[in-house]
Structures are given as structure tokens and as C-alpha cells.
């Protein structure tokens, strides 16, 4: 009689999948200006993150209203082009201010994942509370980009500034 | 005429002699007569009668020969039947014998027969470790143990139990994975077998690792199957469930790590668990150790 072990069935990056669900939900609670409601709905990712491939997977099945989804990867703030949501991975957090400058005249929701970034210009910042992913919302930072935030999103945020 | 009478007398004499051998004889003797002629069905008929007879069923030899006849029936007719009733009847008869054979006239020989029958039960249990017949395997393994205990009540089966249960759990898991049926019912079933092993041997690396992975995979599967459309309140609830599962997985995987069992896979498991728990510090710690191990092996 023999026995063998088996391996983790982790074909998915669990954290990235949860973040992707959050991000898709953000598109339901935030309204972009009219000019952004046509063409493709673009989510940009700055830096290397498993979220990029998770979001890419999401584009195969989901749309935002009638807009097809697309995901773009950027290495630096200088590379940025128009996007509806820009996610800055933890290892690129230092580029937040450059990204803010680059997106000055755009309507982009900036999403980060490092402590204190919601006070430094990010609209939404992912945080960890009791091993769970939550998000902080800075309404002023979101509205600065001519975006409207639903009060429901405020209710779902861990903290609102 | 005289010749005719002579022949008739001779015929009557022969048939009387044939019948005479049974006159006044007990069921056991009749059974033995047929046993010697390898007529097992007739032997069975008379030994069954003897076992029901109030006088004969008090005798050790009745139960010894009943065990013997049924053992032979099993060997000749039901050797490939994993649920052979002849085998069980033989064991039952020999168990009765051991209880009444106070002078130990048949005990040694009966013990040999019991050990033989037990070994066939064990082999059948091993052969039945398949997704379709594993319950038969469990039943035969239990009968194997109870049969062995008849002749040696002090026997300890811990090591064999561990081996059997690990083989069973591994087989069930592989099958469920192949069939894509690793649902909560199967997971619970497999987990409980590993828990049985840990009740025998808390330091069993394989069981600790596999329980850890089962909890981890349960959480990963929930997350994997999440719809991106899921509302945030539901997401929060599912995060609670998954964090609970990751926490359940953690002590088992840490124990596997402590035991250095399947270290590479265990480290990978810990990296994944702490990733799921959003514990970046611990994730980085075990990732570093995993990388060091990989470098060492390269």
C-alpha cells in the first residue's frame, strides 16, 4: 500500500482575484464623464503585479456598461496614456506623484496598495485589516479627476476621507 | 437358484457394510469421512448438523472441523470473492473453538488457519483500495484486524492502520481530483481519514501536510470560482470564510514544516497560505527559504 501527497491547487493568485473583484465593483459605483463612456474601458497597471493577468482574464468575460474592457501595462509614469482606472502596484508606490502629474488633465481613478497613499493623492487605497482586503476612499482625490462617487461606495469603504 | 441367492446375499452384505460405517456415528465423523474424500458439500452438510446438535456443539473438535471445512470451501470455491461467506463462517467457527478448547488440543492448528484467513482478508483489503470498492477494503481490513486479534490479543496495529489510512486517503483524493469532484463532502471524508491518522500519530508528516493543503485548496477554490460581478458585501463574507480556512490550514502546514516533511511543497504551501492571509512578512520569510532550498537543489 502506497500513499502520496498532492499539491496546492493554486492556479489563481488569491489576492489578485479579490482585488479584481473590488476593481470591477468600483466601475459600478463611480461615474466617468461622458467622453469616457465610449470606446474601450481601460485599466492601467503600473509595475509587475499578478493583478495584470487577473484583470486580463476579466476582460474576456466582462464589460463596463457597453464598453469592452482592456488592460494596459505601464512601466513608468512617463509611459502613461489615457485610462479609466490606474492601479499602481506596491513596488511602484514611489511613482504615485509622477503618475498624478501625468494624469492631471484626465479622468482617472487612481488605485494604490500601500499605507498612507490615500493621503498622498490616491483615490482608493487597498489596505489589510484582520487578514482581509479592504479599501480606503478619498472622495476629494477621486472627484478632482471629474469623477462622481456613489454614496454606496462610501458605505462600503473601510474609511472615507 | 443357489447361485442367485448367493449373489443377492452378497449385494445385501455390501450395502449393509456401506451403511454400517455411519450407524451410531456422530456428525463430525460423517463430515470427516466426506472431507477425506474431498466431498466438501457433504462434509459441510454433516458438520453443520453437528454444530446444531446440542451434544456435539459442546465439543472443540466440532468447531475445529467446521472451521476446517469452511476454510477448504473458501479456498476451493470463493477464493476470488472478497466478501466470501465461507471465510467468515470459518473464522466464526474457529473463534468458537478457541473459547471452548480449554485443553488447547486444536488451538495451535486453529491459529495457523486463522492467520492464513486473516492474510487473505488483508490482501483483499489492499486489492480493493479503488474508488469503487474502498468500503469493501475498509470492511476487510477491519475483519483482518479482528481475526488477528483472536490469536494474539496484544497485537498493535498502529503502524498498519497509518499505512492503510494514508493509502486510502491518497487514493480517494487522487480520484476526486481526476474526476473534478473535490467537493466539500469528499474533502470532509478525506480530511477525516487524515485526522484518524493524526489521532494515532500526531507527528505524521503526510497527514499534516495533506490536511493543510485540503483546507488551503478549499479556500483557493472558493476564490477561484468568484464571479468578478460579485457585490462587495458578498465578497466580504467570502473573505471571512476563506480567511477562516487559511487559518485552519496554517497549523497543519507549520507542523509539516517542523517535521521537514516534503519540505519544498510544504514551503510552497506556507507561502500560499500567508499570501492568502495577506501576511506579507511571513509570506516573504517562507518564500526566501523556498528560494534558498531551490538554489541548494540546483
Amino acid at each position: 500500500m502506497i500513499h502520496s501527497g498532492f499539491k496546492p491547487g493554486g492556479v489563481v493568485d488569491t489576492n489578485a482575484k479579490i482585488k479584481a473583484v473590488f476593481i470591477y465593483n468600483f466601475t459600478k459605483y463611480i461615474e466617468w464623464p461622458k467622453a469616457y463612456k465610449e470606446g474601450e474601458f481601460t485599466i492601467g497597471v503600473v509595475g509587475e503585479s499578478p493583478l495584470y493577468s487577473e484583470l486580463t482574464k476579466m476582460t474576456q468575460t466582462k464589460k463596463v456598461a457597453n464598453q469592452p474592457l482592456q488592460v494596459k501595462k505601464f512601466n513608468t509614469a512617463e509611459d502613461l496614456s489615457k485610462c479609466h482606472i490606474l492601479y499602481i502596484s506596491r513596488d511602484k508606490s514611489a511613482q504615485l506623484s509622477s503618475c498624478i502629474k501625468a494624469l492631471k488633465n484626465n479622468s482617472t481613478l487612481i488605485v494604490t496598495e500601500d499605507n498612507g497613499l490615500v493621503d498622498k493623492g490616491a483615490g482608493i487605497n487597498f489596505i489589510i485589516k484582520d487578514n482581509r482586503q479592504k479599501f480606503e476612499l478619498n472622495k476629494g482625490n477621486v472627484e478632482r479627476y471629474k469623477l462622481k462617487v456613489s454614496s454606496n461606495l462610501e458605505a462600503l469603504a473601510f474609511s472615507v476621507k | 437358484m443357489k447361485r442367485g441367492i448367493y449373489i443377492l446375499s452378497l449385494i445385501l452384505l455390501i450395502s449393509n457394510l456401506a451403511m454400517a460405517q455411519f450407524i451410531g456415528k456422530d456428525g463430525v465423523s460423517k463430515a470427516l469421512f466426506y472431507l477425506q474424500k474431498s466431498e466438501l458439500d457433504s462434509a459441510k452438510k454433516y458438520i453443520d448438523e453437528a454444530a446444531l446438535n446440542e451434544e456435539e456443539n459442546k465439543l472443540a473438535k466440532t468447531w475445529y472441523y467446521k472451521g476446517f471445512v469452511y476454510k477448504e470451501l473458501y479456498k476451493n470455491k470463493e477464493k476470488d470473492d472478497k466478501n466470501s461467506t465461507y471465510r467468515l463462517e470459518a473464522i466464526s467457527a474457529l473463534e468458537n473453538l478457541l473459547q471452548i478448547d480449554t485443553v488447547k488440543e486444536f488451538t495451535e492448528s486453529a491459529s495457523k488457519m486463522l492467520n492464513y484467513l486473516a492474510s487473505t482478508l488483508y490482501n483483499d483489503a489492499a486489492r480493493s483500495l479503488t474508488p469503487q470498492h474502498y468500503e469493501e477494503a475498509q470492511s476487510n481490513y477491519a475483519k483482518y484486524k479482528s481475526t488477528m486479534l483472536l490469536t494474539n490479543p496484544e497485537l498493535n496495529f498502529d503502524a498498519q492502520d497509518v499505512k492503510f489510512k494514508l493509502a486510502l486517503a491518497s487514493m480517494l483524493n487522487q480520484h476526486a481530483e481526476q474526476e473534478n469532484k473535490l467537493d466539500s463532502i469528499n474533502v470532509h471524508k478525506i480530511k477525516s481519514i487524515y485526522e484518524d491518522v493524526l489521532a494515532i500519530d500526531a507527528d505524521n508528516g503526510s497527514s499534516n501536510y495533506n490536511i493543510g493543503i485540503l483546507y488551503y485548496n478549499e479556500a483557493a477554490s472558493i476564490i477561484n470560482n468568484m464571479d468578478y460581478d460579485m457585490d462587495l458585501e458578498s465578497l466580504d463574507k467570502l473573505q471571512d470564510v476563506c480567511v477562516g480556512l487559511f487559518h485552519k490550514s496554517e497549523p497543519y502546514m507549520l507542523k509539516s514544516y517542523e517535521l521537514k516533511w516534503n519540505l519544498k511543497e510544504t514551503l510552497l504551501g506556507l507561502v500560499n497560505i500567508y499570501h492568502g492571509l495577506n501576511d506579507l512578512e511571513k509570506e516573504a520569510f517562507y518564500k526566501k527559504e523556498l528560494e534558498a532550498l531551490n538554489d541548494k537543489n540546483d
Side-chain angles (χ1 to χ4, degrees), chain A residues 1-18 20-22 24-26 28-29 54 57-58 61-62 90 128 130-135 153 156, chain B residues 122 126 163-164 166-167 170 173-174 194 206 209-210 213-214 216-217 220 223-224 226-233 235-236 239-240 243 247 265 272 275-278 280:
Chain A
M1 292 180 189
I2 54 152
H3 63 91
S4 62
F6 46 98
K7 295 175 182 179
V11 288
V12 64
D13 182 305
T14 50
N15 290 359
K17 177 69 185 270
I18 290 170
V21 176
F22 269 115
Y24 190 69
N25 268 273
F26 296 156
K28 298 178 198 167
Y29 294 108
E54 190 57 53
K57 212 185 291 174
M58 187 169 88
T61 54
K62 295 292 169 192
R90 183 177 283 107
I128 306 300
D130 301 323
N131 302 111
R132 291 146 178 86
Q133 297 196 55
K134 306 276 178 187
F135 69 93
L153 188 65
L156 292 163
Chain B
Y122 182 85
K163 207 168 144 187
F164 180 78
L166 288 179
S170 177
N173 181 70
Q174 278 171 15
Y194 284 125
S206 177
Y209 170 80
N210 284 313
I213 287 296
L214 282 168
Y216 172 81
N217 280 350
I223 295 169
N224 204 11
M226 280 177 179
D227 192 312
Y228 298 106
D229 231 345
M230 169 184 287
D231 65 75
L232 293 181
E233 282 172 352
L235 178 63
D236 267 354
Q239 278 203 85
D240 289 345
V243 166
H247 275 310
E265 299 297 334
N272 283 330
H275 185 70
L277 286 172
N278 296 289
L280 304 180

